[in-house]
Amino acid sequence: MTSTSLEQRKSRAGARSAQKGQQTRASILDAALALSSQKGLEGLSIGALAEVTGMSKSGVFAHFGSREELQISVIREYHNRFEEEIFYPAIREPRGLGRLVAMFDRWIRRVTVEIDSGCIYISGAVEFDDRPGPVRDALADMVRTWHAALHRAIEIAREVGDLRPDTDARQMAFEMHGLILALHHDARFLREPGAVERARRGFEHMLARYAVAPADGSR
Amino acid sequence: MTSTSLEQRKSRAGARSAQKGQQTRASILDAALALSSQKGLEGLSIGALAEVTGMSKSGVFAHFGSREELQISVIREYHNRFEEEIFYPAIREPRGLGRLVAMFDRWIRRVTVEIDSGCIYISGAVEFDDRPGPVRDALADMVRTWHAALHRAIEIAREVGDLRPDTDARQMAFEMHGLILALHHDARFLREPGAVERARRGFEHMLARYAVAPADGSR
């Protein structure tokens, strides 16, 4: 055996081991996301996660050095999925109202799916609203990133002339967010039917205020 | 000493004791309300309350037989105060838009005060959205009572001709609630300035849609 092939073997074994480590980390993260959707980020602990995944506590601990690090990793993973489901498909739409409508529509659909599981952004905001620290900071950063994306989409729709020139992007995003929060509250907490339709109708009411009426019937 | 005066003394002593019991109960409830505004209804325990009030656990327990009963008493007390601050003063306004505007205005002011302490309705909805049981039921009942009062105020404003005849009371209440939730989220969780003004402006936008424009300048 030459030294080169030994090096190659070692390297391949190292790559396999790193890959396996990443897979384990991903599957722990999957379980952590499901657990914290149901029990809240504060319901997340290395012990509970070890039980769910059938791993040892030290096994879980090896991947996420602390409970706080685990919570932050869950927030990042949630944010990545949120972006993949809502943001990236929406920005493939042409600049303007169509893109903004796609964002709201996908946001509504996501909350609808989460009525049974819970939304980490919404429950997390209540869990951490008076608990300073890195978990709260991570959560607030992610929420602000999403709000900034909404503001930008509104500004673009205004720039291309789809929204009235006096549209205040922060005001419009605030009202959109309100509809999403009311939907989550009525559907998940009160189990009331019709909340999705009300959120959609509320958005139509907003568009009647903010959108520029088409000059002719061509749009 | 005649038997009558003995009866009278006993009765007076009993009344004093009952009064003292009620005062103690009221002061425990005060502390419980403050504690659960900060830590959530789930952060409420007989032990924590004994520590805050300087009473023994058994002393607290004598007034609220269980943690669940304590949580439900807190919800009822919160609801009573909510009604006294928002509902009763508002229904002293004449029937119509003025009364509805007073309700929203007082609701906004209450949430503004609660930005530092937290709102039991909003945090409770997230805490108990997937925990069936009597605490969740009590909380949902109180929220539904308030929503019903809002629906009725909107219907009256429509009946007296202040709101458009096609105003859907549940839709309008849903949109009002959304503004309140977005205010609570942005002000309490994100600590963002301007949320109160945005909620007020959002309500003005709603009124531009739902309210009947005055036929002349007399209103």
Side-chain angles (χ1 to χ4, degrees):
Chain A
M1 193 183 287
T2 67
S3 68
T4 312
S5 74
L6 185 67
E7 284 304 308
Q8 280 172 343
R9 278 187 192 207
K10 267 190 186 171
S11 160
R12 275 200 295 271
R16 270 199 304 275
S17 158
Q19 200 187 1
K20 190 157 176 294
Q22 280 186 346
Q23 280 170 356
T24 309
R25 192 181 186 280
S27 67
I28 300 176
L29 212 47
D30 252 358
L33 204 56
L35 194 66
S36 57
S37 293
Q38 286 185 343
K39 308 270 177 191
L41 284 163
E42 281 300 87
L44 203 61
S45 68
I46 302 250
L49 206 49
E51 211 177 292
V52 172
T53 55
M55 290 174 70
S56 66
K57 276 194 193 185
S58 59
V60 175
F61 194 82
H63 287 276
F64 303 91
S66 69
R67 179 162 175 268
E68 214 165 61
E69 210 188 297
L70 174 66
Q71 289 173 319
I72 292 173
S73 301
V74 164
I75 291 166
R76 288 214 184 102
E77 179 67 17
Y78 182 82
H79 184 70
N80 290 343
R81 294 183 187 194
F82 188 92
E83 282 194 326
E84 264 170 42
E85 254 183 64
I86 302 178
F87 181 70
Y88 292 119
I91 55 164
R92 283 199 288 268
E93 298 285 328
R95 294 158 56 89
L97 193 56
R99 186 181 291 181
L100 187 65
V101 169
M103 274 188 179
F104 189 75
D105 189 52
R106 288 181 166 273
W107 200 5
I108 288 262
R109 274 194 268 166
R110 170 140 189 139
V111 175
T112 310
V113 167
E114 287 176 333
I115 282 168
D116 291 324
S117 63
C119 167
I120 288 182
Y121 279 173
I122 298 177
S123 61
V126 166
E127 281 185 288
F128 285 93
D129 57 10
D130 54 358
R131 293 186 200 184
V135 179
R136 181 202 155 93
D137 292 347
L139 197 61
D141 276 355
M142 301 294 146
V143 172
R144 284 198 194 97
T145 302
W146 168 238
H147 283 195
L150 266 183
H151 297 159
R152 190 69 199 116
I154 294 168
E155 282 163 1
I156 290 172
R158 190 182 58 202
E159 281 162 22
V160 302
D162 285 349
L163 295 178
R164 295 164 56 101
D166 61 351
T167 301
D168 176 340
R170 298 183 79 91
Q171 177 69 32
M172 188 176 181
F174 179 92
E175 294 178 16
M176 287 170 71
H177 188 212
L179 294 173
I180 295 287
L181 292 171
L183 160 60
H184 187 268
H185 178 279
D186 285 8
R188 180 157 162 83
F189 176 58
L190 296 182
R191 312 270 170 201
E192 249 173 38
V196 173
E197 291 71 26
R198 279 186 201 111
R200 289 194 191 281
R201 201 168 314 135
F203 189 54
E204 284 165 22
H205 293 168
M206 285 180 60
L207 290 186
R209 152 159 296 269
Y210 291 107
V212 169
D216 54 45
S218 67
R219 274 168 60 182
Chain B
M1 192 184 286
T2 66
S3 68
T4 313
S5 73
L6 185 67
E7 284 303 310
Q8 280 173 342
R9 279 185 191 207
K10 268 190 186 169
S11 161
R12 275 201 295 272
R16 271 198 303 275
S17 157
Q19 201 187 0
K20 190 159 176 291
Q22 281 186 347
Q23 281 170 355
T24 310
R25 191 180 188 280
S27 67
I28 300 176
L29 212 47
D30 253 358
L33 204 57
L35 195 65
S36 57
S37 293
Q38 286 186 343
K39 307 269 178 191
L41 283 164
E42 282 301 87
L44 203 61
S45 69
I46 302 250
L49 207 49
E51 209 177 294
V52 171
T53 56
M55 291 176 69
S56 66
K57 275 194 193 184
S58 59
V60 175
F61 194 81
H63 287 276
F64 304 90
S66 68
R67 178 163 176 267
E68 213 165 60
E69 210 188 298
L70 174 67
Q71 289 172 319
I72 292 172
S73 300
V74 164
I75 292 167
R76 288 214 184 101
E77 179 67 17
Y78 182 83
H79 183 72
N80 290 343
R81 294 183 186 193
F82 188 94
E83 281 192 327
E84 264 170 43
E85 253 183 63
I86 302 177
F87 181 70
Y88 292 120
I91 56 163
R92 284 200 287 269
E93 299 285 329
R95 295 157 55 89
L97 193 55
R99 186 181 291 181
L100 187 64
V101 169
M103 274 189 180
F104 189 75
D105 190 52
R106 288 180 166 273
W107 199 4
I108 289 262
R109 274 192 271 166
R110 171 141 189 138
V111 175
T112 309
V113 168
E114 287 176 333
I115 283 168
D116 290 324
S117 63
C119 167
I120 288 183
Y121 280 173
I122 297 176
S123 60
V126 166
E127 281 185 289
F128 286 93
D129 59 9
D130 55 357
R131 294 187 199 183
V135 179
R136 180 202 155 91
D137 293 346
L139 195 62
D141 276 354
M142 300 295 146
V143 172
R144 283 199 194 98
T145 301
W146 168 238
H147 284 194
L150 265 184
H151 297 158
R152 190 69 200 117
I154 294 168
E155 280 162 2
I156 290 172
R158 189 182 57 203
E159 280 161 23
V160 302
D162 285 349
L163 295 178
R164 294 163 56 102
D166 62 351
T167 301
D168 176 342
R170 299 182 79 91
Q171 177 70 31
M172 187 176 181
F174 180 93
E175 294 176 17
M176 287 169 72
H177 188 212
L179 294 173
I180 295 288
L181 291 172
L183 160 59
H184 186 268
H185 179 278
D186 285 9
R188 182 159 161 82
F189 176 58
L190 295 182
R191 313 270 170 199
E192 249 173 37
V196 173
E197 292 70 26
R198 278 185 202 112
R200 289 193 191 281
R201 202 169 312 137
F203 189 54
E204 284 165 20
H205 292 168
M206 285 180 60
L207 290 186
R209 152 159 296 270
Y210 290 108
V212 170
D216 54 45
S218 67
R219 271 166 62 183

